[in-house]
Amino acid sequence: MLGGAAYLCVMSFREIGGYSNLEDEYMEAYPNETLYDNNTCGYPREDSFHMMRAPRGSDLPWPGFIFGQTTASIWYWCADQVIVQRALSAKNLSHGQGATLLAGLCKITPLFFIVFPGMISRILYPDVVACVDPEVCMEVCGSEAGCSNLAYPLLVMNVLPTGPRGLMLAVMLSALTSSLTSIFNSGSTIFTMDIWRKLRKFPPEKVITKLDAKEKRRYELELMIVGRVFVLVLIAVSILWIPIVQNSQGGQLFHYIQEISAYLSPPIAAVFTVAVLWPRLNEPGAFWALMCGLAVGITRMTIDFIYEKPGCGDDDTRPSAVAALQFHYMYFALMLFLQTVLLCFIFSLLSTPIPKEYLYRLTFWTRRNKRSRKDLNLFYKNIEESEIEELEGYEMRGGSSDDHKDMYDNETAVEDVDMDRESQSLDEEENRSLLHRFYSCFCGLSDESHGHQPTDKELAIQERKMMDKVEQTKRDRIILNTGLVVVLTVGFFLYGWYA
């Protein structure tokens, strides 16, 4: 995909004679209707080549861009399930950080592979990409709000030769499919693991691990069915939401995404940031701050849907109070973030703090603590009495012991047991029918049919092995820190160059 985008970028610049002609020709790229009607609608903005724009009256005010947009970025890169599940799949901490730095380098390329080609598309096809008359836009792309979303596809269809054109279209569709499946999978995971399990009062994971194979599969089958049904619900909602997307933010899809993120993501980013940096935050503080923040964000989003901002040349028929409330969404994101942070402090200080033994490796200050962490379900008593007794028994029998020397002495023996168990599982795998194996694989069900229940010591050793994955060698730290400096340097340079 990056190779195809780079090739398209080169071909696009060749169409206009190189980068030196981009700025001059872009400022003259306006549709014929603008020229004939003698109005200002359709002209490019004078600050089109500036990232840091005026704090008032611009479409991208620099204070909101730096501080407000950062809140949405914290949510997306640190708390969004689509990204988090990829980071958590890393082999260890070094691999996860390295992949993050690689993603940072890749995120620099859209400026050259997407933004500049989009501007070139306006130069080449101004009557389509820059159309402002609703009737013309409706005739061209089926949307009265605008046709700027056609900028990139027009380049693919008209600039690339036949072979690369088909390949690029296939890549774009594949990327779209991959993104959709990731979103649906993440949404399904959040609903089943964080909501459905609470509604159905599933036992904690440590308790489920010790159940027999039949009982464990019953839980897995229920979660699998609920997850797939929820994906169908998400698909239906997505289809019904398409008309709203087409008529929001002047038909510009990117601005619509940023606007919705500014209304819904700052409370999540605020709770995440406070939770990592302030150990005093507790469940009531996080919950009520999040609910209040989401209520304010949804209210603003609803107002924007009811009272649409006037387009270029249109009369503003909104009530004055509504017009005052609809200030730039980036400023609103910053305000909402700060409000949620303040509520986190207030609600947490008014409720019971969490003891430190429940917070090991959950905050920035305890990220390298190797002491075994107690389950927060025990503190908040979010589970049944019998399950509380089971978890407390696990903690007393070694799950929360501070001394793990005896565990290391027994690791070899446990690994031998694991090898025997794996051999036994392979034998049972061969005895099962092909249809049974396909059914288990397709539905994502566990293959642990031998019914072995791990002991408390085995569970503690597994937990210890997981903690070892956050250790880093000196070489890894040097390489990762060097990569971080490179990414930050390139980012700051580009911001300064196009400020």
Side-chain angles (χ1 to χ4, degrees), residues 49-162:
F49 284 82
H50 299 281
M51 288 187 179
M52 305 299 178
R53 302 177 182 177
R56 299 187 62 183
S58 65
D59 61 338
L60 200 68
W62 70 264
F65 178 66
I66 294 178
F67 302 107
Q69 188 62 32
T70 299
T71 63
S73 299
I74 292 174
W75 159 74
Y76 182 74
W77 290 106
C78 302
D80 184 17
Q81 177 69 12
V82 176
I83 300 299
V84 170
Q85 68 180 5
R86 287 167 167 76
L88 293 179
S89 65
K91 181 180 179 181
N92 52 43
L93 179 60
S94 296
H95 285 217
Q97 291 179 340
T100 303
L101 291 175
L102 178 61
L105 288 173
C106 292
K107 287 296 289 184
I108 295 173
T109 60
L111 175 63
F112 306 98
F113 295 167
I114 297 178
V115 176
F116 286 156
M119 301 176 81
I120 294 174
S121 182
R122 176 172 177 139
I123 296 173
L124 299 177
Y125 318 104
D127 292 329
V128 176
V129 178
C131 73
V132 292
D133 188 285
E135 295 181 0
V136 175
C137 294
M138 190 67 185
E139 182 181 352
V140 171
C141 62
S143 174
E144 295 182 353
C147 299
S148 59
N149 295 330
L150 292 180
Y152 204 81
L154 281 173
L155 285 180
V156 175
M157 296 300 298
N158 297 320
V159 174
L160 292 179
T162 303

Side-chain angles (χ1 to χ4, degrees), residues 185-391:
N185 178 64
S186 299
S188 173
T189 301
I190 292 174
F191 179 78
T192 55
M193 305 304 290
D194 294 341
I195 299 178
W196 186 260
R197 288 182 59 155
K198 297 291 185 182
L199 295 176
R200 294 279 289 134
K201 295 183 178 180
F202 276 34
E205 193 63 34
K206 290 179 180 178
V207 176
I208 292 181
T209 304
K210 303 185 69 174
L211 296 175
D212 59 83
K214 184 177 180 180
E215 189 71 12
K216 187 187 302 182
R217 178 160 295 196
R218 182 176 69 83
Y219 288 117
E220 291 177 348
L221 187 62
E222 179 178 341
L223 291 176
M224 182 270 295
I225 295 174
V226 172
R228 279 157 173 72
V229 172
F230 188 72
V231 168
L232 295 178
V233 174
L234 287 178
I235 294 175
V237 173
S238 301
I239 295 174
L240 296 175
W241 200 260
I242 291 177
I244 298 177
V245 177
Q246 289 178 331
N247 293 283
S248 298
Q249 281 290 321
Q252 299 182 47
L253 182 60
F254 181 78
H255 282 291
Y256 167 79
I257 295 173
Q258 302 305 317
E259 186 181 59
I260 298 301
S261 298
Y263 299 154
L264 302 180
S265 63
I268 303 174
V271 171
F272 173 83
T273 305
V274 175
V276 171
L277 299 178
W278 192 48
R280 182 63 176 78
L281 181 70
N282 53 24
E283 183 178 295
F287 177 79
W288 290 113
L290 182 62
M291 290 300 102
C292 292
L294 289 177
V296 174
I298 292 174
T299 301
R300 167 64 190 268
M301 184 175 65
T302 304
I303 292 175
D304 279 5
F305 286 154
I306 297 175
Y307 299 98
E308 293 187 7
K309 296 178 181 178
C312 180
D314 296 336
D315 295 330
D316 191 352
T317 59
R318 299 173 297 171
S320 57
V322 172
L325 288 174
Q326 289 182 305
F327 54 93
H328 200 280
Y329 63 87
M330 290 186 178
Y331 286 134
F332 180 83
L334 177 60
M335 182 207 72
L336 189 56
F337 179 85
L338 296 177
Q339 170 200 303
T340 308
V341 170
L342 179 61
L343 291 176
C344 282
F345 284 105
I346 294 175
F347 286 119
S348 294
L349 292 174
L350 293 176
S351 51
T352 306
I354 302 175
K356 63 179 181 179
E357 57 266 24
Y358 293 90
L359 299 175
Y360 298 144
R361 297 178 304 283
L362 293 182
T363 68
F364 178 81
W365 318 109
T366 61
R367 65 191 186 280
R368 301 194 184 280
N369 194 310
K370 295 185 177 181
R371 301 176 68 181
S372 185
R373 181 178 66 245
K374 286 189 176 182
D375 198 309
L376 274 172
N377 288 311
L378 293 175
F379 179 72
Y380 285 112
K381 301 188 185 305
N382 293 328
I383 53 180
E384 301 293 336
E385 288 294 332
S386 59
E387 295 162 359
I388 291 178
E389 294 177 359
E390 180 70 25
L391 273 177

Side-chain angles (χ1 to χ4, degrees), residues 4 21 30 46 55 121 139 179 187 217 242 255 335 402 427 488:
N21 297 328
Y30 42 80
E46 294 182 359
S121 182
E139 182 181 352
S179 299
R217 178 160 295 196
I242 291 177
H255 282 291
M335 182 207 72
D402 297 336
D427 293 339
L488 292 177

